[in-house]
Amino acid sequence: MSAQEFADMMRGHVHPVILSSEHIDDYYSHGGVGTAFVLEYGGELFVVTPQHVFNNQCATHDDLRILLRNAPISILFDQRAVFQDEADPDLNADLAILRVAKEQHAALYEAGLTSLDAANCAEIDDYCRAEGFDVFGYPDEGREYDYEEKVLGAQLHWLRGELTKPGVKGLSTLKVVGHRPEKFNGMSGSLVIADIDGLWKFAGMVTLASDPLGLLNFIPAEQIRYYLHKMMVMEMMGAVLPNEADAPK
């Protein structure tokens, strides 16, 4: 697969967070910053992004819009949950998981949606063997909202990173090398891919960044996989899922 083909595939996986404000303002109906991406686990599809993307913009899960470039379809969600680090609730390792309605799967794939297999992710112990890390996200730089023409635009950024000493407890850390946006604002929720033994594998989700140091801190993929599994088990058991009201502020 060429680099261009890989980048095109990532546009099916990774999407700009768009927040609806139609209930507040008819003209400025959509806006927002942030990144989200799609995972497949146990036959279900999930969109994941940090909960603080909503909190920082005074938004709720119901405001989230994920639009596909090949068809005017907005993804519908039928289940939502918010998880944070169980060992240290004060960590800003917040994770919002939104399940895609199953009856939409076929139409979404037809419209260009693609997903990553969360079950076959890179383990933390494998990171040291990675030849490098790739990060895909939508920073504020390159966002466009043309309210007159009703056009929403965003530019996918592909960054390269090298694993470095963790700067935040519970998170892994990358040092960005080469090209990068001037500001990392909007990169929260970016997809992290590890190149291990010649295979590109899901490695995590960006949740905290440092512009001056060029660092991206991310939740490891195996932790996200754990919470996907927990969400499914809790639903099967009829347990109440943690939601926005319980999320870290």
Side-chain angles (χ1 to χ4, degrees), residues 15-30:
H15 304 270
V17 165
I18 299 170
L19 298 172
S20 171
S21 57
E22 294 168 301
H23 59 290
I24 300 174
D25 192 308
D26 292 334
Y27 184 75
Y28 298 103
S29 59
H30 295 81

Side-chain angles (χ1 to χ4, degrees), residues 202-235:
F202 168 47
M205 181 189 77
V206 173
T207 187
L208 287 171
S210 169
D211 288 320
L213 299 177
L215 300 178
L216 296 173
N217 300 286
F218 66 96
I219 303 175
E222 65 182 68
Q223 293 182 18
I224 297 174
R225 179 184 62 194
Y226 165 78
Y227 287 120
L228 290 172
H229 182 73
K230 181 174 182 178
M231 180 176 176
M232 295 177 72
V233 170
M234 290 178 71
E235 184 184 26

Side-chain angles (χ1 to χ4, degrees), residues 131-143:
E131 293 186 22
F133 291 80
D134 298 274
V135 181
F136 297 86
Y138 290 90
D140 198 19
E141 179 181 312
R143 285 271 183 153

Side-chain angles (χ1 to χ4, degrees), residues 41-46 77-81 83 97-103 105 226-242:
Y41 185 77
E44 301 282 359
L45 291 178
F46 301 90
F77 305 106
D78 62 6
Q79 192 62 272
R80 302 159 176 80
F83 296 99
I97 302 175
L98 297 91
R99 189 179 67 184
V100 179
K102 205 148 199 172
E103 59 268 22
H105 288 195
Y226 165 78
Y227 287 120
L228 290 172
H229 182 73
K230 181 174 182 178
M231 180 176 176
M232 295 177 72
V233 170
M234 290 178 71
E235 184 184 26
M236 287 188 295
M237 296 177 61
V240 177
L241 294 171

